[in-house]
Amino acid sequence: MTALLLIAHGSRDPRHAATVAALVRQVRAQRPGLEVATAYLDHCAPRIPQVVGRLSDAVAVPLLLNRAFHAKHDIPAALRAAGAGLPVADVLGPSPLLLAALERRLAEAGLDVASAAVRAGTGVVLAAAGSSDPAADAATRAVAAEWRRTRGWAAVEVAYASAGGPRVPEALAAVRAAGAARTAVAPYLLAPGLLPDRIAAAAAGADPVADTVADTLGPAPELAALLLERYDQARRAARSAPALTA
């Protein structure tokens, strides 16, 4: 069976690699018998050249939410440098599964997301990393708009932990100005680290503070299912490519 090569960014924070490992366990539990390998772009081991040589047949699946610099440049360049002509799956976002994972984390933090009345009275801050790529930030804003449209939140505003604004306190003020009776911060980030810590500190330091602050997406079962969905899509596309060019 074609292996799934999960490519993560990597971090000096040990919580990042621990979260990736937990997510891989979720993927394996959902698809028993599938070989799942992990490689990192930076900071963590193993790197891509250390892994691809032992995989005879694989699909590379980026652990990335948006199609920004890492997806457009870093991963293809790293695979080329390793001499690996692997099919590369699409990034994770956007997807309804990501919205479901975000709501799972909000529910775990104490918000009754199953209640339409609670959603209608709650303004959510979708707190992302931020990017120098305008298309990536536009994609995050589209996710926020879709989340509000499909789930009936009082408001959903985007905040960024790096790059340009708005920051979390500004976004919290915006959802309150839109009429939200309560507020929640949902990190649109995959694993703990510097930026999620920055978001949590900003939410706690806002005046008034956010009512609910969720955890990162982490090893949510929805995220594991989405990785498998992207793997399946790329595998089907790779199989059909010769017929299209014949």
Side-chain angles (χ1 to χ4, degrees):
M1 182 183 293
T2 303
L4 189 161
L5 173 59
L6 183 66
I7 300 181
H9 181 268
S11 169
R12 293 184 179 89
D13 190 319
R15 294 175 295 173
H16 177 89
T19 299
V20 173
L23 180 57
V24 167
R25 289 193 292 273
Q26 276 278 357
V27 172
R28 288 174 176 153
Q30 291 186 25
R31 187 74 59 88
L34 174 65
E35 181 181 4
V36 184
T38 304
Y40 293 91
L41 284 172
D42 202 2
H43 302 303
C44 301
R47 302 293 180 86
I48 289 173
Q50 296 172 279
V51 178
V52 294
R54 63 178 176 83
L55 298 174
S56 58
D57 182 23
V59 169
V61 183
L63 187 59
L64 299 170
L65 293 170
N66 285 330
R67 189 165 176 75
F69 190 83
H70 295 312
K72 293 177 181 177
H73 302 285
D74 287 350
I75 288 177
L79 289 169
R80 284 195 303 271
L86 303 181
V88 180
D90 200 1
V91 294
L92 299 177
S95 169
L97 286 167
L98 286 175
L99 300 183
L102 287 164
E103 292 195 0
R104 172 185 291 275
R105 295 303 184 225
L106 285 170
E108 290 170 350
L111 187 66
D112 185 6
V113 299
S115 167
V118 169
R119 295 196 306 273
T122 303
V124 181
V125 173
L126 186 67
S131 173
S132 58
D133 187 330
D137 285 344
T140 302
R141 291 192 297 272
V143 168
E146 179 71 3
W147 199 13
R148 181 182 184 184
R149 184 187 69 80
T150 58
R151 294 292 285 162
W153 298 103
V156 180
E157 295 285 339
V158 173
Y160 298 111
S162 65
R167 298 293 195 239
V168 168
E170 297 169 286
L172 285 168
V175 297
R176 290 190 188 97
R182 66 184 65 82
T183 59
V185 175
Y188 193 50
L189 294 161
L190 294 163
L194 174 64
L195 296 184
D197 288 350
R198 186 180 295 171
I199 287 167
D207 186 18
V209 301
D211 296 307
T212 303
V213 180
D215 201 353
T216 56
L217 294 168
E222 297 85 357
L223 191 58
L226 181 53
L227 287 168
L228 287 167
E229 183 178 290
R230 294 291 185 253
Y231 162 84
D232 289 336
Q233 290 167 345
R235 192 179 177 206
R236 286 194 297 268
R239 285 180 168 178
S240 64
L244 294 175
T245 56

Short mmCIF file of all heavy atoms in Angstrom, two decimals, residues 110-179:
data_model
loop_
_atom_site.label_atom_id
_atom_site.label_comp_id
_atom_site.label_asym_id
_atom_site.label_seq_id
_atom_site.Cartn_x
_atom_site.Cartn_y
_atom_site.Cartn_z
N GLY A 110 -15.55 24.15 27.30
CA GLY A 110 -16.72 24.47 28.11
C GLY A 110 -17.84 25.19 27.39
O GLY A 110 -18.87 25.49 28.02
N LEU A 111 -17.70 25.45 26.10
CA LEU A 111 -18.75 26.15 25.36
C LEU A 111 -19.72 25.14 24.78
O LEU A 111 -19.31 24.15 24.16
CB LEU A 111 -18.13 26.99 24.24
CG LEU A 111 -19.08 27.91 23.47
CD1 LEU A 111 -19.61 29.00 24.39
CD2 LEU A 111 -18.37 28.54 22.27
N ASP A 112 -21.02 25.39 24.95
CA ASP A 112 -22.06 24.48 24.44
C ASP A 112 -22.28 24.76 22.96
O ASP A 112 -23.25 25.40 22.56
CB ASP A 112 -23.35 24.67 25.24
CG ASP A 112 -24.43 23.67 24.85
OD1 ASP A 112 -24.15 22.76 24.03
OD2 ASP A 112 -25.57 23.82 25.32
N VAL A 113 -21.41 24.23 22.13
CA VAL A 113 -21.48 24.52 20.70
C VAL A 113 -22.65 23.83 20.04
O VAL A 113 -23.04 24.20 18.92
CB VAL A 113 -20.16 24.12 19.98
CG1 VAL A 113 -18.99 24.89 20.54
CG2 VAL A 113 -19.92 22.62 20.09
N ALA A 114 -23.24 22.83 20.70
CA ALA A 114 -24.40 22.14 20.11
C ALA A 114 -25.66 22.98 20.20
O ALA A 114 -26.64 22.71 19.49
CB ALA A 114 -24.62 20.80 20.81
N SER A 115 -25.67 24.01 21.04
CA SER A 115 -26.85 24.85 21.23
C SER A 115 -26.87 26.00 20.21
O SER A 115 -25.95 26.83 20.18
CB SER A 115 -26.85 25.44 22.65
OG SER A 115 -27.80 26.48 22.75
N ALA A 116 -27.92 26.05 19.39
CA ALA A 116 -28.05 27.14 18.43
C ALA A 116 -28.16 28.48 19.14
O ALA A 116 -27.65 29.50 18.65
CB ALA A 116 -29.27 26.91 17.53
N ALA A 117 -28.80 28.50 20.31
CA ALA A 117 -28.94 29.74 21.05
C ALA A 117 -27.60 30.23 21.57
O ALA A 117 -27.31 31.44 21.55
CB ALA A 117 -29.92 29.54 22.21
N VAL A 118 -26.77 29.30 22.04
CA VAL A 118 -25.44 29.68 22.51
C VAL A 118 -24.61 30.22 21.36
O VAL A 118 -23.94 31.25 21.47
CB VAL A 118 -24.75 28.48 23.19
CG1 VAL A 118 -23.26 28.78 23.43
CG2 VAL A 118 -25.43 28.15 24.50
N ARG A 119 -24.65 29.54 20.21
CA ARG A 119 -23.89 30.02 19.05
C ARG A 119 -24.36 31.40 18.63
O ARG A 119 -23.55 32.27 18.29
CB ARG A 119 -24.00 29.03 17.88
CG ARG A 119 -23.37 27.68 18.15
CD ARG A 119 -23.17 26.89 16.85
NE ARG A 119 -24.39 26.76 16.08
CZ ARG A 119 -25.28 25.79 16.23
NH1 ARG A 119 -25.10 24.86 17.18
NH2 ARG A 119 -26.36 25.72 15.47
N ALA A 120 -25.67 31.62 18.65
CA ALA A 120 -26.21 32.92 18.21
C ALA A 120 -25.81 34.06 19.13
O ALA A 120 -25.82 35.22 18.73
CB ALA A 120 -27.73 32.83 18.12
N GLY A 121 -25.44 33.73 20.37
CA GLY A 121 -25.02 34.76 21.31
C GLY A 121 -23.52 34.86 21.50
O GLY A 121 -23.06 35.66 22.32
N THR A 122 -22.76 34.07 20.74
CA THR A 122 -21.31 34.00 20.94
C THR A 122 -20.56 34.54 19.74
O THR A 122 -20.84 34.16 18.60
CB THR A 122 -20.87 32.53 21.19
OG1 THR A 122 -21.57 32.01 22.32
CG2 THR A 122 -19.37 32.46 21.44
N GLY A 123 -19.62 35.41 20.01
CA GLY A 123 -18.69 35.88 18.98
C GLY A 123 -17.37 35.15 19.11
O GLY A 123 -16.82 35.04 20.20
N VAL A 124 -16.89 34.61 18.01
CA VAL A 124 -15.68 33.79 18.01
C VAL A 124 -14.53 34.52 17.32
O VAL A 124 -14.73 35.12 16.26
CB VAL A 124 -15.91 32.43 17.31
CG1 VAL A 124 -14.65 31.58 17.35
CG2 VAL A 124 -17.08 31.69 17.95
N VAL A 125 -13.38 34.46 17.93
CA VAL A 125 -12.15 34.96 17.30
C VAL A 125 -11.39 33.75 16.78
O VAL A 125 -11.00 32.87 17.55
CB VAL A 125 -11.29 35.75 18.29
CG1 VAL A 125 -9.94 36.11 17.65
CG2 VAL A 125 -12.02 37.00 18.74
N LEU A 126 -11.23 33.69 15.46
CA LEU A 126 -10.44 32.64 14.83
C LEU A 126 -9.00 33.15 14.80
O LEU A 126 -8.64 34.00 13.99
CB LEU A 126 -10.96 32.36 13.42
CG LEU A 126 -10.31 31.20 12.68
CD1 LEU A 126 -10.64 29.87 13.35
CD2 LEU A 126 -10.74 31.17 11.22
N ALA A 127 -8.19 32.64 15.71
CA ALA A 127 -6.85 33.18 15.93
C ALA A 127 -5.82 32.36 15.17
O ALA A 127 -5.52 31.22 15.54
CB ALA A 127 -6.52 33.20 17.42
N ALA A 128 -5.30 32.93 14.09
CA ALA A 128 -4.37 32.23 13.21
C ALA A 128 -2.96 32.76 13.39
O ALA A 128 -2.74 33.80 14.04
CB ALA A 128 -4.82 32.39 11.76
N ALA A 129 -2.01 32.07 12.76
CA ALA A 129 -0.63 32.52 12.85
C ALA A 129 -0.42 33.83 12.12
O ALA A 129 0.29 34.73 12.59
CB ALA A 129 0.29 31.44 12.27
N GLY A 130 -1.02 33.96 10.94
CA GLY A 130 -0.76 35.12 10.08
C GLY A 130 0.33 34.78 9.09
O GLY A 130 1.17 33.91 9.33
N SER A 131 0.29 35.44 7.95
CA SER A 131 1.22 35.13 6.88
C SER A 131 1.56 36.38 6.10
O SER A 131 0.75 37.32 6.02
CB SER A 131 0.61 34.08 5.94
OG SER A 131 1.41 33.87 4.80
N SER A 132 2.74 36.39 5.50
CA SER A 132 3.10 37.47 4.59
C SER A 132 2.47 37.28 3.22
O SER A 132 2.56 38.16 2.36
CB SER A 132 4.63 37.55 4.44
OG SER A 132 5.14 36.31 3.96
N ASP A 133 1.83 36.13 3.01
CA ASP A 133 1.16 35.82 1.75
C ASP A 133 -0.30 36.28 1.83
O ASP A 133 -1.07 35.71 2.60
CB ASP A 133 1.22 34.31 1.50
CG ASP A 133 0.70 33.92 0.13
OD1 ASP A 133 -0.19 34.61 -0.39
OD2 ASP A 133 1.16 32.90 -0.42
N PRO A 134 -0.70 37.29 1.06
CA PRO A 134 -2.08 37.78 1.15
C PRO A 134 -3.11 36.70 0.85
O PRO A 134 -4.20 36.70 1.42
CB PRO A 134 -2.13 38.91 0.12
CG PRO A 134 -0.71 39.31 -0.10
CD PRO A 134 0.10 38.08 0.10
N ALA A 135 -2.79 35.78 -0.04
CA ALA A 135 -3.74 34.72 -0.38
C ALA A 135 -4.00 33.82 0.81
O ALA A 135 -5.13 33.35 1.01
CB ALA A 135 -3.22 33.92 -1.57
N ALA A 136 -2.98 33.55 1.60
CA ALA A 136 -3.16 32.70 2.77
C ALA A 136 -4.06 33.37 3.80
O ALA A 136 -4.95 32.74 4.38
CB ALA A 136 -1.81 32.36 3.39
N ASP A 137 -3.84 34.66 4.03
CA ASP A 137 -4.70 35.37 4.97
C ASP A 137 -6.13 35.48 4.44
O ASP A 137 -7.10 35.40 5.20
CB ASP A 137 -4.13 36.77 5.25
CG ASP A 137 -2.92 36.71 6.18
OD1 ASP A 137 -2.71 35.67 6.82
OD2 ASP A 137 -2.18 37.72 6.26
N ALA A 138 -6.28 35.65 3.14
CA ALA A 138 -7.61 35.69 2.55
C ALA A 138 -8.32 34.35 2.74
O ALA A 138 -9.53 34.30 2.99
CB ALA A 138 -7.53 36.03 1.07
N ALA A 139 -7.57 33.25 2.64
CA ALA A 139 -8.16 31.94 2.86
C ALA A 139 -8.64 31.78 4.29
O ALA A 139 -9.70 31.19 4.54
CB ALA A 139 -7.14 30.85 2.51
N THR A 140 -7.88 32.31 5.26
CA THR A 140 -8.31 32.24 6.65
C THR A 140 -9.57 33.06 6.87
O THR A 140 -10.49 32.63 7.57
CB THR A 140 -7.19 32.73 7.58
OG1 THR A 140 -6.02 31.95 7.37
CG2 THR A 140 -7.60 32.63 9.04
N ARG A 141 -9.64 34.23 6.27
CA ARG A 141 -10.85 35.04 6.39
C ARG A 141 -12.06 34.34 5.77
O ARG A 141 -13.18 34.43 6.28
CB ARG A 141 -10.64 36.41 5.75
CG ARG A 141 -9.65 37.30 6.51
CD ARG A 141 -9.69 38.73 6.03
NE ARG A 141 -9.31 38.87 4.64
CZ ARG A 141 -8.06 39.03 4.21
NH1 ARG A 141 -7.06 39.06 5.10
NH2 ARG A 141 -7.78 39.16 2.93
N ALA A 142 -11.82 33.61 4.68
CA ALA A 142 -12.91 32.86 4.06
C ALA A 142 -13.41 31.75 4.98
O ALA A 142 -14.61 31.46 5.04
CB ALA A 142 -12.46 32.29 2.71
N VAL A 143 -12.49 31.10 5.69
CA VAL A 143 -12.88 30.08 6.66
C VAL A 143 -13.75 30.69 7.75
O VAL A 143 -14.79 30.13 8.13
CB VAL A 143 -11.63 29.42 7.28
CG1 VAL A 143 -11.99 28.57 8.49
CG2 VAL A 143 -10.91 28.57 6.24
N ALA A 144 -13.36 31.87 8.24
CA ALA A 144 -14.15 32.54 9.28
C ALA A 144 -15.54 32.87 8.77
O ALA A 144 -16.54 32.66 9.49
CB ALA A 144 -13.43 33.81 9.73
N ALA A 145 -15.64 33.37 7.55
CA ALA A 145 -16.94 33.72 6.99
C ALA A 145 -17.82 32.50 6.81
O ALA A 145 -19.03 32.53 7.10
CB ALA A 145 -16.75 34.44 5.65
N GLU A 146 -17.22 31.40 6.36
CA GLU A 146 -17.97 30.16 6.17
C GLU A 146 -18.44 29.60 7.51
O GLU A 146 -19.56 29.08 7.63
CB GLU A 146 -17.11 29.14 5.44
CG GLU A 146 -17.76 27.78 5.21
CD GLU A 146 -18.86 27.81 4.17
OE1 GLU A 146 -19.10 28.89 3.55
OE2 GLU A 146 -19.49 26.76 3.96
N TRP A 147 -17.60 29.70 8.52
CA TRP A 147 -17.95 29.19 9.85
C TRP A 147 -19.15 29.95 10.41
O TRP A 147 -20.09 29.36 10.95
CB TRP A 147 -16.75 29.32 10.77
CG TRP A 147 -16.79 28.45 11.98
CD1 TRP A 147 -17.64 27.41 12.23
CD2 TRP A 147 -15.95 28.55 13.13
NE1 TRP A 147 -17.38 26.85 13.46
CE2 TRP A 147 -16.34 27.53 14.02
CE3 TRP A 147 -14.89 29.39 13.47
CZ2 TRP A 147 -15.71 27.34 15.25
CZ3 TRP A 147 -14.25 29.20 14.69
CH2 TRP A 147 -14.65 28.19 15.57
N ARG A 148 -19.15 31.25 10.25
CA ARG A 148 -20.29 32.03 10.74
C ARG A 148 -21.54 31.70 9.93
O ARG A 148 -22.64 31.53 10.48
CB ARG A 148 -19.98 33.53 10.65
CG ARG A 148 -21.13 34.38 11.18
CD ARG A 148 -20.89 35.86 11.07
NE ARG A 148 -21.98 36.60 11.68
CZ ARG A 148 -22.09 37.93 11.66
NH1 ARG A 148 -21.15 38.65 11.07
NH2 ARG A 148 -23.12 38.52 12.21
N ARG A 149 -21.41 31.62 8.62
CA ARG A 149 -22.56 31.40 7.74
C ARG A 149 -23.22 30.06 8.01
O ARG A 149 -24.46 29.96 8.04
CB ARG A 149 -22.13 31.49 6.28
CG ARG A 149 -23.27 31.37 5.27
CD ARG A 149 -22.75 31.29 3.86
NE ARG A 149 -22.06 30.03 3.60
CZ ARG A 149 -22.71 28.89 3.32
NH1 ARG A 149 -24.03 28.85 3.28
NH2 ARG A 149 -22.02 27.78 3.09
N THR A 150 -22.43 29.02 8.20
CA THR A 150 -22.98 27.67 8.30
C THR A 150 -23.38 27.28 9.72
O THR A 150 -24.18 26.35 9.89
CB THR A 150 -21.97 26.63 7.78
OG1 THR A 150 -20.75 26.73 8.52
CG2 THR A 150 -21.69 26.86 6.30
N ARG A 151 -22.87 27.98 10.72
CA ARG A 151 -23.12 27.56 12.10
C ARG A 151 -23.82 28.61 12.96
O ARG A 151 -24.17 28.35 14.10
CB ARG A 151 -21.80 27.14 12.77
CG ARG A 151 -21.19 25.91 12.15
CD ARG A 151 -22.03 24.66 12.42
NE ARG A 151 -21.86 24.23 13.80
CZ ARG A 151 -22.69 23.41 14.44
NH1 ARG A 151 -23.76 22.96 13.84
NH2 ARG A 151 -22.45 23.05 15.70
N GLY A 152 -24.07 29.79 12.41
CA GLY A 152 -24.90 30.76 13.11
C GLY A 152 -24.28 31.44 14.30
O GLY A 152 -25.00 31.83 15.24
N TRP A 153 -22.97 31.60 14.30
CA TRP A 153 -22.34 32.38 15.37
C TRP A 153 -22.76 33.85 15.27
O TRP A 153 -23.09 34.34 14.18
CB TRP A 153 -20.82 32.30 15.27
CG TRP A 153 -20.26 30.93 15.42
CD1 TRP A 153 -19.80 30.12 14.41
CD2 TRP A 153 -20.09 30.19 16.63
NE1 TRP A 153 -19.35 28.91 14.92
CE2 TRP A 153 -19.52 28.92 16.27
CE3 TRP A 153 -20.35 30.45 17.97
CZ2 TRP A 153 -19.21 27.95 17.22
CZ3 TRP A 153 -20.05 29.47 18.92
CH2 TRP A 153 -19.49 28.25 18.54
N ALA A 154 -22.75 34.55 16.40
CA ALA A 154 -23.08 35.98 16.38
C ALA A 154 -22.10 36.74 15.51
O ALA A 154 -22.48 37.69 14.81
CB ALA A 154 -23.07 36.53 17.80
N ALA A 155 -20.85 36.35 15.54
CA ALA A 155 -19.81 36.95 14.72
C ALA A 155 -18.60 36.03 14.75
O ALA A 155 -18.40 35.29 15.72
CB ALA A 155 -19.42 38.34 15.23
N VAL A 156 -17.81 36.07 13.69
CA VAL A 156 -16.52 35.38 13.67
C VAL A 156 -15.52 36.36 13.06
O VAL A 156 -15.68 36.79 11.92
CB VAL A 156 -16.54 34.07 12.85
CG1 VAL A 156 -15.15 33.42 12.88
CG2 VAL A 156 -17.59 33.10 13.38
N GLU A 157 -14.53 36.72 13.84
CA GLU A 157 -13.49 37.65 13.40
C GLU A 157 -12.14 36.94 13.42
O GLU A 157 -11.88 36.10 14.30
CB GLU A 157 -13.42 38.88 14.30
CG GLU A 157 -14.66 39.76 14.25
CD GLU A 157 -14.73 40.58 12.97
OE1 GLU A 157 -13.68 40.77 12.32
OE2 GLU A 157 -15.84 41.04 12.62
N VAL A 158 -11.28 37.30 12.49
CA VAL A 158 -9.93 36.72 12.42
C VAL A 158 -8.95 37.60 13.19
O VAL A 158 -9.03 38.83 13.13
CB VAL A 158 -9.48 36.57 10.96
CG1 VAL A 158 -8.02 36.13 10.88
CG2 VAL A 158 -10.37 35.57 10.23
N ALA A 159 -8.05 36.97 13.93
CA ALA A 159 -6.93 37.66 14.56
C ALA A 159 -5.66 36.92 14.20
O ALA A 159 -5.69 35.73 13.87
CB ALA A 159 -7.10 37.70 16.08
N TYR A 160 -4.54 37.64 14.24
CA TYR A 160 -3.26 37.04 13.87
C TYR A 160 -2.26 37.19 15.01
O TYR A 160 -2.19 38.23 15.67
CB TYR A 160 -2.70 37.71 12.61
CG TYR A 160 -3.61 37.54 11.41
CD1 TYR A 160 -4.30 38.62 10.87
CD2 TYR A 160 -3.79 36.29 10.83
CE1 TYR A 160 -5.15 38.47 9.78
CE2 TYR A 160 -4.63 36.12 9.74
CZ TYR A 160 -5.30 37.22 9.21
OH TYR A 160 -6.14 37.05 8.15
N ALA A 161 -1.48 36.14 15.21
CA ALA A 161 -0.47 36.16 16.27
C ALA A 161 0.85 36.72 15.78
O ALA A 161 1.72 37.06 16.59
CB ALA A 161 -0.24 34.74 16.80
N SER A 162 1.03 36.82 14.47
CA SER A 162 2.24 37.39 13.89
C SER A 162 1.86 38.12 12.62
O SER A 162 0.68 38.19 12.26
CB SER A 162 3.27 36.29 13.59
OG SER A 162 2.77 35.42 12.59
N ALA A 163 2.84 38.67 11.93
CA ALA A 163 2.59 39.45 10.70
C ALA A 163 1.67 40.61 11.03
O ALA A 163 1.78 41.23 12.08
CB ALA A 163 2.04 38.55 9.60
N GLY A 164 0.74 40.93 10.15
CA GLY A 164 -0.13 42.08 10.37
C GLY A 164 -1.25 41.80 11.34
O GLY A 164 -1.47 40.66 11.78
N GLY A 165 -2.02 42.85 11.68
CA GLY A 165 -3.15 42.72 12.58
C GLY A 165 -4.38 42.26 11.83
O GLY A 165 -4.30 41.92 10.65
N PRO A 166 -5.53 42.23 12.52
CA PRO A 166 -5.70 42.61 13.92
C PRO A 166 -5.19 41.54 14.89
O PRO A 166 -5.05 40.38 14.52
CB PRO A 166 -7.22 42.77 14.04
CG PRO A 166 -7.76 41.80 13.03
CD PRO A 166 -6.79 41.83 11.90
N ARG A 167 -4.94 41.97 16.10
CA ARG A 167 -4.56 41.05 17.17
C ARG A 167 -5.82 40.59 17.92
O ARG A 167 -6.92 41.08 17.70
CB ARG A 167 -3.58 41.73 18.14
CG ARG A 167 -2.27 42.16 17.48
CD ARG A 167 -1.47 40.95 17.06
NE ARG A 167 -0.09 41.28 16.75
CZ ARG A 167 0.49 41.07 15.59
NH1 ARG A 167 -0.19 40.53 14.59
NH2 ARG A 167 1.76 41.38 15.39
N VAL A 168 -5.63 39.66 18.84
CA VAL A 168 -6.75 39.07 19.56
C VAL A 168 -7.60 40.11 20.29
O VAL A 168 -8.83 40.09 20.19
CB VAL A 168 -6.25 37.97 20.52
CG1 VAL A 168 -7.36 37.55 21.49
CG2 VAL A 168 -5.76 36.76 19.73
N PRO A 169 -7.02 41.06 21.06
CA PRO A 169 -7.87 42.04 21.75
C PRO A 169 -8.73 42.86 20.79
O PRO A 169 -9.89 43.16 21.09
CB PRO A 169 -6.86 42.91 22.50
CG PRO A 169 -5.68 42.01 22.72
CD PRO A 169 -5.60 41.19 21.46
N GLU A 170 -8.18 43.22 19.64
CA GLU A 170 -8.96 43.98 18.66
C GLU A 170 -10.11 43.15 18.11
O GLU A 170 -11.23 43.65 17.93
CB GLU A 170 -8.06 44.43 17.52
CG GLU A 170 -6.95 45.38 17.93
CD GLU A 170 -5.93 45.57 16.81
OE1 GLU A 170 -5.13 44.64 16.55
OE2 GLU A 170 -5.96 46.63 16.18
N ALA A 171 -9.84 41.88 17.83
CA ALA A 171 -10.89 41.02 17.30
C ALA A 171 -11.97 40.76 18.35
O ALA A 171 -13.16 40.69 18.02
CB ALA A 171 -10.29 39.70 16.81
N LEU A 172 -11.58 40.61 19.61
CA LEU A 172 -12.56 40.45 20.67
C LEU A 172 -13.45 41.69 20.77
O LEU A 172 -14.68 41.58 20.93
CB LEU A 172 -11.87 40.21 22.01
CG LEU A 172 -11.29 38.81 22.22
CD1 LEU A 172 -10.39 38.78 23.46
CD2 LEU A 172 -12.39 37.76 22.36
N ALA A 173 -12.86 42.86 20.64
CA ALA A 173 -13.65 44.09 20.66
C ALA A 173 -14.62 44.13 19.48
O ALA A 173 -15.76 44.59 19.61
CB ALA A 173 -12.73 45.32 20.64
N ALA A 174 -14.18 43.63 18.35
CA ALA A 174 -15.02 43.65 17.15
C ALA A 174 -16.23 42.73 17.30
O ALA A 174 -17.35 43.10 16.89
CB ALA A 174 -14.20 43.25 15.93
N VAL A 175 -16.05 41.54 17.87
CA VAL A 175 -17.21 40.66 18.02
C VAL A 175 -18.17 41.19 19.08
O VAL A 175 -19.39 41.02 18.96
CB VAL A 175 -16.80 39.20 18.32
CG1 VAL A 175 -16.02 38.62 17.15
CG2 VAL A 175 -16.02 39.06 19.61
N ARG A 176 -17.65 41.85 20.10
CA ARG A 176 -18.54 42.46 21.07
C ARG A 176 -19.32 43.61 20.44
O ARG A 176 -20.52 43.77 20.69
CB ARG A 176 -17.74 42.98 22.28
CG ARG A 176 -17.16 41.88 23.15
CD ARG A 176 -16.60 42.43 24.45
NE ARG A 176 -15.87 41.38 25.19
CZ ARG A 176 -14.57 41.22 25.15
NH1 ARG A 176 -13.81 42.02 24.42
NH2 ARG A 176 -14.00 40.25 25.83
N ALA A 177 -18.66 44.39 19.60
CA ALA A 177 -19.34 45.48 18.91
C ALA A 177 -20.42 44.97 17.97
O ALA A 177 -21.39 45.67 17.68
CB ALA A 177 -18.32 46.32 18.13
N ALA A 178 -20.26 43.73 17.49
CA ALA A 178 -21.26 43.12 16.62
C ALA A 178 -22.45 42.58 17.40
O ALA A 178 -23.40 42.08 16.80
CB ALA A 178 -20.62 41.99 15.81
N GLY A 179 -22.42 42.69 18.73
CA GLY A 179 -23.55 42.29 19.55
C GLY A 179 -23.42 40.98 20.28
O GLY A 179 -24.39 40.51 20.89
#
